[in-house]
Amino acid sequence: MGFPDNILTSDEQVVLHLHPHWIRLTGPAVAFVVLLGLTLFGVLAVPAGSFQQAAQWLIVAAGAVLLFFTSLRPWLRWVTTHYVVTTERVVVRAGILSRYGRDIPLLRLSDVSFSRSFWEGLVGSGTLSIDSGGQRGRLVLVNLPHAEEVYATLYRLAEENAARLRGPADDSGYPR
């Protein structure tokens, strides 16, 4: 499911459109390979006999269920999670069947910070924390790709929005 462009206002433009960092998919990818191998081994290891075919189908069914919960569901969550920065707001949309959404106008940003560990720095991810003046408080985006660049982009866009609201400056550089 893609990001719904119809939620944008007429003069709003998408600046960044991100998913959680790909590192979130390493565990499910490893689980996929291991479970596929174990399922194949289990099917081939069933001894011949009257229950061989039933046992093989049972192993395949159990493997399919485990593959769904350990690999397919995390991938679906990853692909349906959108972190979007526009010229007016930060938009978060997530969920497979039930959806979650949160919008934070850039004008309401009170604090934006990022952190990254040594390992996150190696793969290019980090954690971005966004505080808004609203009731819902802090939004924390974990495993965000290029968190430091997103931080800088948010700061720049917030300053541009604030300057646009102040109006044009006179020759002295101060708003009129």
Side-chain angles (χ1 to χ4, degrees), residues 28-106:
V30 169
F32 178 81
V33 171
V34 169
L35 282 171
L36 203 56
L38 288 174
T39 302
L40 182 61
F41 175 76
V43 166
L44 296 175
V46 174
S50 61
F51 295 108
Q52 180 183 22
Q53 191 174 17
Q56 288 174 331
W57 279 111
L58 184 63
I59 291 170
V60 168
V65 169
L66 288 172
L67 280 173
F68 174 79
F69 284 106
T70 61
S71 297
L72 183 60
R73 191 173 69 164
W75 178 79
L76 286 172
R77 281 192 182 159
W78 180 85
V79 82
T80 59
T81 300
H82 301 273
Y83 304 137
V84 179
V85 177
T86 72
T87 52
E88 297 178 10
R89 58 191 163 152
V90 177
V91 180
V92 176
R93 295 291 185 268
I96 300 169
L97 296 176
S98 60
R99 301 285 293 161
Y100 163 81
R102 182 155 181 205
D103 295 9
I104 300 176
L106 294 177

Side-chain angles (χ1 to χ4, degrees), residues 98-119:
S98 60
R99 301 285 293 161
Y100 163 81
R102 182 155 181 205
D103 295 9
I104 300 176
L106 294 177
L107 297 173
R108 300 193 76 196
L109 296 182
S110 60
D111 182 46
V112 179
S113 59
F114 75 94
S115 64
R116 70 173 187 212
S117 68
F118 173 75
W119 299 110

Side-chain angles (χ1 to χ4, degrees), residues 6 64 90 92 96 118 131 133 139-140 174:
N6 61 346
V90 177
V92 176
I96 300 169
F118 173 75
D131 284 328
L139 173 66
V140 179
Y174 293 102

Side-chain angles (χ1 to χ4, degrees), residues 158-169:
E159 288 296 315
E160 288 173 2
N161 268 349
R164 187 172 57 234
L165 285 178
R166 285 193 299 263

